[in-house]
């Protein structure tokens, strides 16, 4: 029921039982933090695209509140609008009231996964994604040049579902396939050394999360990361049998899968004698730093998760804290830095990557217009919502082009793939060499080693 | 037909305060003309014959001045010149410099005619300085809007409706004004140039950090027929205001920007310089004075092409930042009609001011797109059409009550 | 009485079904604006993509006598965009193109959904900016600014939205499209543009707005000064004004507001001081140099305990971030709060603050103060806890503060508008005749009363009616309005 005009109550009354189940519903005090001021609207990618209140952070929180007050159910519009959220957390940065939308979304998405039956085709597609992405082995198979769906079919689930969903979801599949760049077999199957000693006097011991997508499609970034960390005085350990950190599943609300991966990752790393657990992937870093919160009410794991999360740092945080030691060779060029949402908004790591890049002589660092706006990659978003992701990708590409960079750097594989796709797709002059898209550590690696800046 | 043609002179009513204004309106019947100091009596459309003239020059004087708040409430019949001289000891002023203030124009009259001077570049017109009004409507209703504070968004801003209404909607009786500090010092930099070059110089001033309070070009010609054509010779005037210590430096930079031909007017000659400008705004006998506004970039060309403008018989002024110009043109009804058309073809606005008695040319250009709303507002506030019948002909097509006797 | 199915589909035909939200759950997202205490679910939400579609939507409303409410970003704090029961919301969020920036004539042409800050962003490459800067400028739209005649921190020197809008294309409540104003500020005839500006969406919907742009000042000097008391800070403001200085902005915050803002944005405010002033001067370097020294001397004279001068654009931005985030940031120090917006003559600032403090003590509630000290515009924030049952007490206190402002010769609202929230307080500030004349003007634009009804002016249905005995409202008695 609508309250009558003139009610002094600024909050909705409780009119019925909550639509959420009892397992981690969105917290009442977090919902109440939102004062409906709307400061989040301009930075929300979906509000920018569609201009609809329900597809803004303020609107989504309002829907959560309505559901919690027992006024609407989770099925239908509620699920639709929560699904459309990219989880970029730009709203968290923008919010003057300190609303923890990240925490709200994190509790609401599993509620949907548990309580809202998905349409069959949607469910199958999502299952297929999660049968592929977190597995290095399957990704390597998929990375071999050729049609993606054949590789997905190679999995047991893929054999069962692909034929049924292919005709229904051409856009989603095409989007998924077009995102994945052809990868050299050599790189896809390469392995990082388990131990790399610091060059010169040791300043720290770190363990590197090699990641799943990162290690298959961007193995070169991992190699550069190991070299740079070593050059700056870090012993680098890369545990051999590590697996996916669970970020993709976590951000999609597949809670039990994500938690299982979190526990496995903690178990794999906690015994290592290292100061820091380093990641070069924004999405992984944000989820690993969140393990402490995710496992807080698990008596067996709470302390271990807290200890683990406390040691997790993005590679830029580590590098920015170390006074540059390895000599840098100049790199002359205009370098645009794109803040990956899970690094900038979710981890508030903005200054450090820039500081790291500025340590390279002659490099001209550029900021992008609408820097706070997501590129549309957003975990699995560009696969499940290809149209919206494409609109955002095109917008990001236009913003990138507007500063006319020689090189683009960003610290997340999803962003690299998404921006790369949209920059090429919209290039007016096909003859023109594409602008190199790199991870910042690749640039630093080239500077330290005095090698040519790589093209990819 | 104008009031002057009629054999019976209208009754003149001389109220002295809000109550007597209301009584005068209620006690009279038929058409009512509102008169101030008479400095713009003939502006706008010719009045139809009216039964009474409401002479507001007796409704005068400051009601309250709050120096600390920089606001003043004043009776509408107060000449602005007098008001400013009363405020001067407090170092405050109403920042309006319309040409006819020197002739004794009243606050109410200046509001009703939406008049403004060169300082509109920074301070706007009275619409931007009035923060409260009290108006008496034709049915005797006393309506206040706004208030005594400079920031206020409560209710509709009826002061805006009265601004430019030429006495057709109601009688403005009390006005609350926002004040500004009297500048510690002002100075004017001048550059002689023909109209065609004025825009280029003005751009250099506007694009720089000079913050002029007025930026005008005026023809050398005052329209008396001697000397060069009005468009051919003239003077760019740039006035800056500020503190003693800072102004010399600013004027120096400004002069440098305008080139070696620019000069700073001597302090004792500055008032005279601007008086000459005001004289051209007012025009002379035999002129039909057209006030016009258009995009600043289009204005010089538009002005030069007006019938009779490029002759020694015209006097021109043009605000290069405001886009507001005044053209005192040889009085010719057809030429004025053509001028209205030309201005409107350029997307501009125009109004006829002083002209010889019995001139006959149109006072207004084509009606604005919102004329329907204007008429509805007129009907809502003055359903019998008592106030200022004929002023907005042919925009308001209300039946004039004419003379009742 | 809900909208008939035939009428609903007529809207879909008029502007395209993909631009109509008719799902009741989705419509609930629009049930309130920035003032959440008032909630009405609209029948439909219309999201036209261009001016023609706005006109088509309004024509449909006129034809079927459906009341409508225009909505920008929904940030208003007076319930001005509260939907009307059985009516539709027309959201302008998709009309967000900057149509033109004309650096020569210093103006920009905008669709109503462009945000205030986007105007300056579009103008900045030409060394120009848009002056009015409400605290919500990063999100509030120019269409909403026009409706509310928005001010901002810098309106002391530069004026309000009404002083910066040259013309507007407006869809009138009958669906016809007119232009109010023109290429120059001075226009022939009564200033309808001026009446429309600040009419809170009750006279029509803007679809295109032309604004003046100003040259970016040569220099800007910003200082943040702490004072041992609010009255000392108030004396500084008086002395600055008395010295003939018109600062670009003078803002004051008290202890609670400073605490909240600092917690939100870490802008370098001193937590714990009784009052902080932000004073900003802008203009030519020579002028700023002279005046800045004067201002510093005045601060010292009144016992300034710390004077921080912004060292560059980033420090300046930080100071302003703190100030502009203050409202929402209060959410960090109190579960609930009411934002009040009143104006007093500047010379009565100390008096009004004293009385507010006393009223707060009497009510047992904390009041944080953020205000535009230069123009006497107060934003007392009444802090309370709904959970603790303080809501009604807080609302009463907030209302009393607004009425106190009127009593001291000020206004019910300096910039947030009357909207739904204060319509019933209007008789405190205006007499029956004043309000009746405003009704007449409204009727001239909107004879059928379809355009944002129930806002700004009191109506018996919202204010005068009490259950039980029939009591005619004064406006009814005077024949201005009819009981529905």
């Amino acid at each position: 029921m609508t309250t009558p005009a003139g009610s002094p109550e600024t909050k909705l009354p409780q009119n019925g039982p909550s639509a959420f189940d009892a397992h981690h519903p969105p917290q009442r005090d977090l919902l109440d933090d939102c004062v409906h001021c709307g400061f989040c609207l301009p930075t929300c990618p979906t509000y920018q695209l569609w201009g609809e209140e329900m597809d803004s952070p303020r609107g989504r929180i309002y829907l959560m509140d309505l559901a919690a007050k027992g006024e609407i159910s989770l099925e239908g519009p509620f699920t639709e609008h929560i699904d459309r959220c990219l989880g970029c957390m730009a709203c968290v940065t923008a919010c003057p009231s300190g609303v923890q939308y990240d925490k709200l979304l994190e509790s609401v998405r599993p509620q949907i996964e548990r309580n809202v039956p998905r349409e069959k085709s949607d469910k199958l597609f999502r299952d297929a994604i999660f049968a592929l992405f977190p597995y290095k082995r399957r990704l390597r198979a998929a990375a071999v040049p050729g049609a993606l769906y054949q590789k997905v079919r190679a999995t047991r689930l893929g054999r069962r579902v692909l034929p049924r969903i292919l005709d229904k979801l051409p856009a989603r599949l095409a989007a998924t396939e077009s995102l994945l760049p052809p990868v050299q077999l050599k790189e896809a199957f390469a392995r990082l050394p388990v131990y790399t000693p610091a060059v010169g006097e040791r300043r720290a011991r770190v363990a590197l999360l090699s990641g799943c997508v990162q290690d298959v499609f961007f193995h070169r970034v991992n190699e550069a990361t190991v070299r740079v960390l070593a050059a700056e005085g870090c012993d680098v350990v890369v545990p051999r049998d590590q697996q996916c950190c669970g970020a993709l599943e976590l951000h999609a609300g597949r809670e039990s899968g994500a938690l299982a991966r979190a526990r496995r990752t903690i178990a794999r790393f906690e015994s290592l004698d290292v100061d820091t657990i380093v990641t070069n992937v924004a999405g992984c870093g944000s989820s690993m730093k969140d393990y402490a919160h995710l496992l807080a009410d698990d008596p067996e794991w709470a302390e271990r998760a807290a200890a683990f999360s406390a040691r997790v740092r993005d590679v830029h945080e580590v590098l920015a804290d170390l006074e540059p030691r390895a000599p840098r060779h100049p790199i002359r060029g205009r370098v645009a830095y794109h803040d990956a949402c899970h690094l900038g908004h979710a981890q508030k790591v903005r200054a450090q990557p820039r500081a790291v890049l500025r340590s390279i002589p002659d490099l001209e660092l550029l900021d992008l217009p609408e820097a706070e706006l997501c590129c549309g990659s957003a975990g699995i978003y560009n696969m499940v919502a290809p149209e919206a992701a494409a609109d955002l990708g095109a917008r990001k590409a236009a913003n990138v082009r507007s500063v006319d960079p020689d090189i683009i750097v960003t610290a997340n594989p999803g962003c690299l793939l998404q921006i790369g796709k949209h920059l090429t797709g919209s290039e007016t002059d096909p003859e023109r060499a594409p602008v190199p898209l790199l991870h910042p550590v690749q640039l630093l690696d080239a500077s330290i080693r005095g090698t040519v800046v790589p093209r990819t | 037909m104008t009031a002057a043609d009629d054999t019976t002179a209208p009754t003149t009513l001389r109220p002295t305060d809000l109550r007597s204004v209301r009584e005068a309106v209620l006690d009279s019947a038929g058409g009512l003309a509102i008169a101030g100091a008479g400095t713009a009596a003939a502006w706008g459309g010719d009045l139809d014959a009216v039964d009474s003239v409401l002479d507001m020059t007796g409704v005068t004087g400051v009601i309250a001045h709050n120096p600390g708040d920089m606001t003043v409430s004043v009776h509408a019949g107060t000449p602005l010149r007098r008001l400013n001289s009363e405020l001067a000891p407090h170092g405050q002023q109403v920042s309006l410099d319309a040409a006819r203030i020197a002739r004794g124009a009243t606050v109410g009259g200046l509001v009703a005619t939406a008049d403004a001077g060169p300082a509109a570049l920074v301070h706007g017109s009275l619409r931007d300085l009035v923060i409260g009004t009290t108006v008496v409507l034709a049915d005797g209703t006393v309506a206040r809007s706004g208030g005594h504070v400079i920031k206020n968004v409560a209710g509709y801003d009826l002061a805006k409706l009265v601004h430019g209404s030429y006495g057709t909607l109601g009688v403005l009786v009390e006005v609350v004004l926002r004040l500004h500090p009297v500048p510690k010092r002002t100075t004017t930099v001048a550059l002689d140039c023909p109209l065609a070059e004025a825009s280029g110089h003005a751009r250099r001033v506007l694009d720089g950090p000079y913050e002029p309070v007025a930026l005008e070009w005026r023809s050398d010609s005052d329209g008396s027929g001697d000397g060069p054509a009005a468009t051919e010779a003239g003077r760019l005037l740039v006035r800056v205001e500020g503190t003693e210590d800072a102004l010399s430096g600013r004027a120096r930079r400004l002069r440098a920007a305008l080139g070696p031909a620019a000069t700073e007017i001597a302090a004792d000659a500055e008032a005279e310089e601007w008086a000459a400008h005001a004289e051209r705004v007012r025009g002379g006998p035999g002129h039909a004075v057209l006030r016009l506004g258009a995009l600043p970039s289009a204005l010089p060309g538009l002005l030069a092409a007006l019938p009779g403008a490029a002759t020694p018989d015209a006097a021109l002024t043009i605000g290069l930042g405001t886009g507001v110009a005044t053209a005192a043109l040889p009085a010719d009804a057809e030429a004025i009609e053509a001028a209205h058309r030309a201005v409107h073809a350029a997307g501009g606005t125009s109004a006829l001011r002083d002209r010889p008695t019995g001139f006959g040319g149109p006072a207004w250009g084509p009606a604005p797109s919102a004329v329907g709303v204007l008429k509805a507002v007129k009907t809502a506030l003055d359903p019998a059409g008592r106030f200022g019948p004929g002023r907005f002909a042919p925009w308001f097509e209300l039946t004039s009550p004419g003379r009742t006797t | 009485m809900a909208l008939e199915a035939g009428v609903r589909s007529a809207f879909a035909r008029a502007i395209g079904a993909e631009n109509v939200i008719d799902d009741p759950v989705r419509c609930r997202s629009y049930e309130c604006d920035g003032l959440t205490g008032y909630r009405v679910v609209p029948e439909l939400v219309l999201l036209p993509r261009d001016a023609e579609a706005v006109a088509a939507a309004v024509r449909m409303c006129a034809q079927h006598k459906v009341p409508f409410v225009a909505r920008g970003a929904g940030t208003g704090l007076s319930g001005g965009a509260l939907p009307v029961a059985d009516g539709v919301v027309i959201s302008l969020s998709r009309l967000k193109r900057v149509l033109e920036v004309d650096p020569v004539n210093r103006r920009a042409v905008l669709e109503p959904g462009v945000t205030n800050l986007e105007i300056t962003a579009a103008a900045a490459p030409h060394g120009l900016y848009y002056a009015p800067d409400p605290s919500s400028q990063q999100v509030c739209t120019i269409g909403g600014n026009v409706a509310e005649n928005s001010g901002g921190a810098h309106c002391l020197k530069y004026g309000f939205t009404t002083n910066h809008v040259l013309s507007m294309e407006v869809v009138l409540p009958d669906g016809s499209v007119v232009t109010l104003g023109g290429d120059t500020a001075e226009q022939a005839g009564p200033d309808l543009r001026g009446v429309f500006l600040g009419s809170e969406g009750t006279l029509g919907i803007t679809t295109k707005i032309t604004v003046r742009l100003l040259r970016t000042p040569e220099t800007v000097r910003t200082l943040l000064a702490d004072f041992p008391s609010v009255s000392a800070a108030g004396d500084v403001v008086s002395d600055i004004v008395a010295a003939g200085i018109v600062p670009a902005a003078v803002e004051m915050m008290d202890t609670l507001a400073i605490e909240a803002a600092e917690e939100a944005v870490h802008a370098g405010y001193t937590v714990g001081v009784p009052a902080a002033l932000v004073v900003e001067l802008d203009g030519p370097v020579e002028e700023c140099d002279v005046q800045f020294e004067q201002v510093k001397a005045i601060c010292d004279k009144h016992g300034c305990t710390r004077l921080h001068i912004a060292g560059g654009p980033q420090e300046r931005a930080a100071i302003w971030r703190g100030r502009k985030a203050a409202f929402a940031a209060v959410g960090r120090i109190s579960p609930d709060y009411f934002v009040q917006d009143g104006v007093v003559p500047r010379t009565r600032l100390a008096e009004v603050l004293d009385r507010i403090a006393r009223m707060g003590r009497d009510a047992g509630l904390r009041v944080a103060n953020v205000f535009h000290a230069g123009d006497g515009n107060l934003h007392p924030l009444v802090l309370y806890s709904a959970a603790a049952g303080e809501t009604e007490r807080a609302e009463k206190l907030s209302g009393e503060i607004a009425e106190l402002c009127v009593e001291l010769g000020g206004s019910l609202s300096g910039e947030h508008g009357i909207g739904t929230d204060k319509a019933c307080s209007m008789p405190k500030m205006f007499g029956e005749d004043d309000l009746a004349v405003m009704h007449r003007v409204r009727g001239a634009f909107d004879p059928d009363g379809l355009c944002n009804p129930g806002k700004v002016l009191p109506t018996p249905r919202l204010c005068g009616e009490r259950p039980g005995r029939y009591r005619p409202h004064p406006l009814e008695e005077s024949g201005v309005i009819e009981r529905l």
Side-chain angles (χ1 to χ4, degrees), chain C residues 296-320:
Chain C
K296 280 196 290 188
I298 293 169
C299 287
D300 286 341
K301 186 180 130 197
H302 292 282
C304 169
T305 51
R306 170 180 169 253
L307 196 126
H308 166 64
I309 296 164
Q314 280 178 346
E315 282 187 29
R316 177 180 174 243
I319 291 176
W320 280 111

Side-chain angles (χ1 to χ4, degrees), chain A residues 2-3 6-12 36 38 42 48 50-54 58 62 71 80-81 96-98, chain C residues 23 26 28-31 33 36-39 41 71 73-75 93-94 96 138-139 328 332 336 384 391 395:
Chain A
T2 299
T3 59
S7 159
E9 286 298 340
T10 52
K11 306 290 186 200
L12 292 163
H36 219 250
Q48 282 298 308
W50 306 312
E52 294 180 8
E53 189 68 31
M54 316 78 70
R58 177 175 70 178
Y62 206 77
E71 302 219 1
E80 202 178 304
H81 297 298
S97 303
Chain C
D23 172 89
R26 293 186 232 273
R28 289 209 60 174
S29 319
Y30 289 85
E31 69 184 9
D33 59 12
T36 53
Y38 299 90
R39 295 182 286 274
V41 186
R71 176 180 169 115
T75 59
S93 61
R94 288 177 177 172
K96 54 178 188 180
Q138 69 189 76
V139 51
R332 291 173 186 258
D336 304 282
Y384 69 99
T391 309
E395 198 201 20

Side-chain angles (χ1 to χ4, degrees), chain B residues 69 147-149, chain C residues 343-345 348 403-411 429:
Chain B
D69 295 326
H148 292 262
V149 283
Chain C
V343 191
V344 293
R348 308 195 75 167
E403 286 170 10
L404 170 66
C405 291
V406 176
E407 183 194 317
L408 294 179
S411 170
M429 185 165 166

Side-chain angles (χ1 to χ4, degrees), chain B residues 7-104:
Chain B
T7 46
T8 328
T11 316
T12 299
L13 310 165
R14 288 200 177 81
T16 54
D17 59 8
L18 179 59
R19 219 186 68 192
S20 53
V21 169
R22 182 168 182 270
E23 281 165 4
V25 170
L26 285 176
D27 292 348
S28 61
L32 198 54
I34 306 162
T39 54
W43 292 16
D46 290 334
L47 274 184
D48 294 348
V50 292
D51 297 272
S52 320
V53 172
L54 193 63
D55 176 355
M56 291 294 290
T57 55
V59 187
T60 178
V62 168
I63 301 163
H65 173 215
N66 307 304
D69 295 326
M70 302 198 78
T71 59
V72 67
S73 60
V74 62
H75 282 115
T78 313
L80 183 58
R81 190 178 48 183
R82 204 181 91 198
L83 174 61
N84 270 339
S85 66
E86 283 184 40
L87 297 170
H90 301 278
Q92 300 180 358
Q93 66 176 16
V94 178
S95 289
L96 187 85
D97 57 354
R100 69 183 222 263
I101 293 170
R103 291 188 169 177

Side-chain angles (χ1 to χ4, degrees), chain B residues 295-400:
Chain B
L295 276 181
S297 60
L299 195 53
L302 182 63
L303 197 59
L306 294 180
T311 68
D313 299 321
L316 306 172
T317 68
I318 171 170
L320 295 152
T322 59
V324 174
T326 320
L329 301 170
D332 177 294
E334 274 178 35
I336 288 297
E337 194 172 354
H340 278 304
R341 274 202 308 273
V343 173
H344 285 259
T349 180
S350 54
L352 188 63
R353 292 186 162 181
D354 282 316
R355 65 277 193 175
T357 311
F359 173 68
W364 310 101
S369 60
V371 70
V373 179
L374 275 181
K375 283 187 213 170
V377 168
K378 170 75 173 170
T379 307
L381 300 185
D382 180 18
R386 290 189 66 195
F387 287 128
R391 272 293 187 226
F392 277 103
W395 292 6
F396 296 171
E397 288 159 19
L398 296 174
T399 316
S400 163

Side-chain angles (χ1 to χ4, degrees), chain C residues 26-324:
Chain C
R26 293 186 232 273
C27 282
R28 289 209 60 174
S29 319
Y30 289 85
E31 69 184 9
C32 58
D33 59 12
L35 186 70
T36 53
Y38 299 90
R39 295 182 286 274
V40 175
V41 186
E43 287 286 314
L44 297 173
V45 177
L46 312 177
L47 292 142
R49 291 184 182 278
D50 52 34
E52 290 72 36
V54 175
V58 174
R59 276 197 302 275
M60 204 53 69
C61 290
Q63 188 184 328
H64 297 285
K65 299 281 179 280
V66 177
F68 59 92
V69 178
R71 176 180 169 115
T75 59
L77 294 169
S78 57
L82 178 75
V84 186
D86 304 320
V88 301
V89 165
I90 301 180
S91 167
L92 284 312
S93 61
R94 288 177 177 172
L95 277 77
K96 54 178 188 180
R97 287 176 300 165
V98 174
L99 298 171
E100 187 190 347
V101 175
D102 174 356
V104 174
N105 293 301
R106 289 154 188 265
R107 61 202 58 210
V109 185
L110 314 151
E111 289 190 325
V114 173
T115 66
N116 175 292
L117 204 55
E118 283 166 348
I119 307 174
T120 288
H126 306 286
L128 302 171
Y129 78 111
Y130 177 64
D133 62 337
S135 293
S136 56
Q137 67 183 135
Q138 69 189 76
V139 51
C140 65
T141 62
I142 184 64
N145 288 179
V146 164
E148 301 295 319
N149 185 21
S150 304
H154 292 83
C155 58
L156 174 63
K157 179 171 177 181
Y158 292 104
F160 316 92
T161 304
T162 188
N163 309 111
H164 294 270
V165 169
L166 290 167
S167 72
M168 299 164 294
E169 179 183 272
V170 170
V171 179
L172 294 173
D174 65 359
S176 61
V177 179
V178 299
T179 299
L180 305 181
D183 284 337
T184 45
E186 190 174 310
Q187 291 289 316
D191 182 16
L192 291 180
R193 163 188 56 134
V195 179
F196 189 94
L197 274 147
S199 61
E200 306 194 27
T202 61
L203 303 182
I205 302 181
T206 53
T207 49
K208 196 160 80 177
I209 298 144
T210 303
V211 300
R212 294 198 299 145
L213 301 173
L214 302 185
R215 187 187 184 279
T216 310
E218 183 176 30
T219 188
V220 182
R221 306 282 166 82
T222 309
L223 67 77
L224 174 61
D226 298 342
F227 292 92
S229 69
V230 170
S231 64
D235 291 343
V236 168
V237 179
S238 297
D239 280 10
I240 290 174
V241 170
I245 298 170
V246 182
V250 189
E251 303 284 300
M252 206 191 294
M253 290 160 77
D254 71 1
T255 312
L256 275 176
I258 294 166
E259 182 193 332
E262 190 55 27
E263 196 171 315
V265 300
H266 311 292
Y269 286 73
T270 317
V271 173
V273 292
L277 267 189
V278 176
V279 183
E280 188 159 283
L281 298 170
D282 66 10
V285 172
E286 301 94 330
E287 221 58 80
C288 280
D289 283 345
V290 172
Q291 296 189 343
F292 202 67
E293 289 308 315
Q294 285 177 283
V295 169
K296 280 196 290 188
I298 293 169
C299 287
D300 286 341
K301 186 180 130 197
H302 292 282
C304 169
T305 51
R306 170 180 169 253
L307 196 126
H308 166 64
I309 296 164
Q314 280 178 346
E315 282 187 29
R316 177 180 174 243
I319 291 176
W320 280 111
R321 224 176 15 255
R323 164 60 190 85
K324 293 193 174 188

